[in-house]
């Protein structure tokens, strides 16, 4: 097959640069999640573009940010599809390279009618995103307003990207997912750390099953170095710890049908709003509203809202709160 032309130089200043994974999502919907060893009859099957990096890039772009992506795909039909989908969103793909030895990443996702999901990821070409590739795009990272990363690509590359971003004065956002153990030294290059309950527990060993526990865990995480810690709690909202203190932000009430990609929607929207100059509290509210819209739809990137839709959701939440 033809090799993707995705290695062109790009040195413009972007609002958001995302360093991370690109996967094709294979999504099965079923009445509930299966028990170990159990076979269920599913309701439907769909294919979507995904990967935490790709998802967050799309979420930021739909919020109006000028976005560039650094990642890696295989020389296969999945890789072509992934890059073409990003380009349709207006995302700069000069930092997406082609791996001739690994296939593109794939995620197998099961979604219950309740909206719960479980995911198995085969990283493929994402594991080929090496520090040398990141270094080659240092100028883009250092010129960005916000740089976002996750942990579905090699840690050395993630940390290098965040260091380069910091050197250029960018705000750094790390979504520490999937769950991993990171040191205070590694977290010292992070301005915003975004985690869920299991990811927080992996980092500091504290439970975060409710808002009270999440407050303590968020404070412990902030003590490791990040200026801001955001712990997402699903339908229970989020906890935000910063120099000013720790606060719980309730979630808007919606009818969730699929939580796939909701966390990535939040991160991408948060990054876009930080890049546009929103204050932290407002950026968090935009992120929550974006995730609230996304869970009412099926899929990951296909469910992510536009800025206008998020604005409407925020207005609806404000009206509901007033009543």
């Amino acid at each position: 097959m033809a090799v993707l032309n995705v290695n062109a130089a790009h040195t413009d200043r972007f609002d958001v640069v995302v360093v991370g994974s690109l996967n094709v999502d294979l999504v099965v919907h079923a009445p509930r999640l299966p028990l170990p060893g159990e076979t269920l009859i599913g309701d439907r099957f769909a294919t979507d573009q995904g990967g935490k990096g790709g998802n967050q890039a799309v979420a930021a772009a739909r919020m109006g940010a000028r976005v560039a992506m650094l990642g890696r795909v295989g020389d296969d039909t999945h890789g072509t599809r992934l890059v073409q989908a990003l380009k349709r969103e207006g995302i700069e793909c000069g930092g997406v390279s082609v791996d001739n030895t690994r296939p593109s990443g794939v995620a197998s996702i099961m979604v219950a009618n309740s909206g719960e999901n479980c995911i198995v990821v085969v990283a493929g070409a994402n594991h080929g995103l090496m520090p040398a590739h990141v270094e080659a795009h240092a100028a883009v990272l250092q010129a960005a307003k916000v740089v976002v990363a996750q942990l579905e690509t090699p840690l050395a590359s993630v940390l290098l990207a965040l260091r380069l971003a910091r050197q250029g004065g960018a705000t750094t956002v790390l979504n520490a997912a999937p769950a991993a153990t990171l040191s205070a030294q590694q977290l010292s290059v992070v301005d915003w750390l975004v985690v869920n309950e299991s990811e927080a527990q992996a980092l500091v060993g504290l439970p975060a099953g409710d808002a009270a526990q999440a407050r303590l865990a968020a404070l412990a995480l902030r003590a490791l170095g990040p200026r801001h810690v955001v712990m997402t709690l699903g339908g229970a909202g989020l906890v935000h710890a910063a120099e000013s203190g720790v606060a719980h932000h309730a979630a808007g009430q919606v009818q969730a049908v699929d939580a796939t990609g909701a966390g990535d929607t939040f991160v991408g929207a948060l990054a876009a709003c930080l890049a546009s100059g929103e204050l932290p509290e407002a950026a968090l509210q935009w992120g929550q509203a974006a995730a609230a819209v996304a869970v009412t739809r099926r899929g990951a990137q296909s469910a992510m809202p536009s800025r206008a839709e998020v604005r409407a959701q925020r207005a609806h939440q404000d009206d509901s709160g007033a009543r």
Side-chain angles (χ1 to χ4, degrees):
M1 62 179 292
V3 176
L4 295 169
N5 181 22
V6 294
N7 293 308
H10 58 298
T11 56
D12 293 337
R13 180 176 174 86
F14 293 92
D15 298 321
V16 177
V17 176
V18 179
V19 182
S21 56
L22 295 163
N23 296 325
V24 168
D25 291 345
L26 309 176
V27 188
V28 174
H29 294 266
R32 57 177 174 80
L33 300 181
L35 301 172
E38 181 182 19
T39 298
L40 288 180
I41 302 300
D43 297 329
R44 70 186 71 85
F45 170 78
T47 304
D48 198 2
Q49 289 75 238
K52 296 189 73 63
N55 288 348
Q56 291 168 12
V58 169
R62 291 189 184 170
M63 288 294 292
R66 190 159 182 253
V67 181
M69 180 78 209
L70 267 65
R72 196 159 173 86
V73 297
D75 185 16
D76 49 33
T77 55
H78 284 335
T80 301
R81 173 179 179 158
L82 288 165
V83 174
Q84 289 177 343
L86 293 176
K87 288 183 175 181
R88 285 196 297 270
E89 300 289 341
I91 296 168
E92 167 59 51
C93 293
V96 180
S97 62
V98 176
D99 193 318
N100 294 314
T101 63
R102 299 177 177 91
S104 296
V106 173
S108 177
I109 304 172
M110 287 186 289
V111 182
N113 287 344
S114 65
E116 292 181 303
N117 65 55
C118 60
I119 304 172
V120 177
V121 176
V122 179
N126 292 303
H127 274 176
L129 185 64
M130 294 289 103
H133 178 72
V134 173
E135 183 70 45
H137 296 276
V140 176
L141 292 163
Q142 292 177 334
K145 294 179 181 177
V146 177
V147 172
V148 181
Q150 326 77 35
L151 300 178
E152 289 185 336
T153 52
L155 181 59
S157 300
V158 169
L159 295 177
L160 175 59
L162 296 177
R163 284 197 300 272
L164 290 169
R166 268 284 189 85
Q167 290 171 10
T171 296
T172 58
V173 179
L174 175 63
N175 178 205
T181 301
L182 298 172
S183 68
Q185 181 180 9
Q186 291 168 328
L187 290 172
S188 66
V189 293
V190 178
D191 293 312
W192 285 77
L193 175 67
V194 182
V195 291
N196 64 18
E197 300 102 306
S198 62
E199 293 151 6
Q201 189 161 16
L203 286 168
V204 292
L206 295 175
D210 56 38
Q213 291 179 336
R215 285 173 179 265
L216 294 176
L219 288 171
L221 285 166
R222 190 172 182 276
L224 294 177
R227 293 192 298 118
H228 297 267
V229 171
V230 180
M231 289 195 55
T232 57
L233 305 173
L238 62 82
V239 166
H240 172 222
E243 184 178 6
S244 58
V246 59
H248 174 245
H249 296 250
Q253 297 302 307
V254 295
Q255 184 61 48
V257 299
D258 185 356
T260 306
D264 295 333
T265 303
F266 170 82
V267 172
L270 173 70
C273 290
L274 291 173
S276 71
E278 294 280 1
L279 294 176
E281 295 303 308
L284 290 168
Q285 291 165 7
W286 279 100
Q288 283 188 288
V293 176
V295 299
T296 66
R297 305 168 176 174
R298 299 193 186 279
Q301 292 179 20
S302 57
M304 292 175 175
S306 67
R307 188 177 184 88
E309 290 173 317
V310 179
R311 184 182 294 110
Q313 175 65 22
R314 288 195 68 194
H316 173 73
Q317 290 177 349
D318 290 344
D319 289 344
S320 298
R323 289 196 295 268

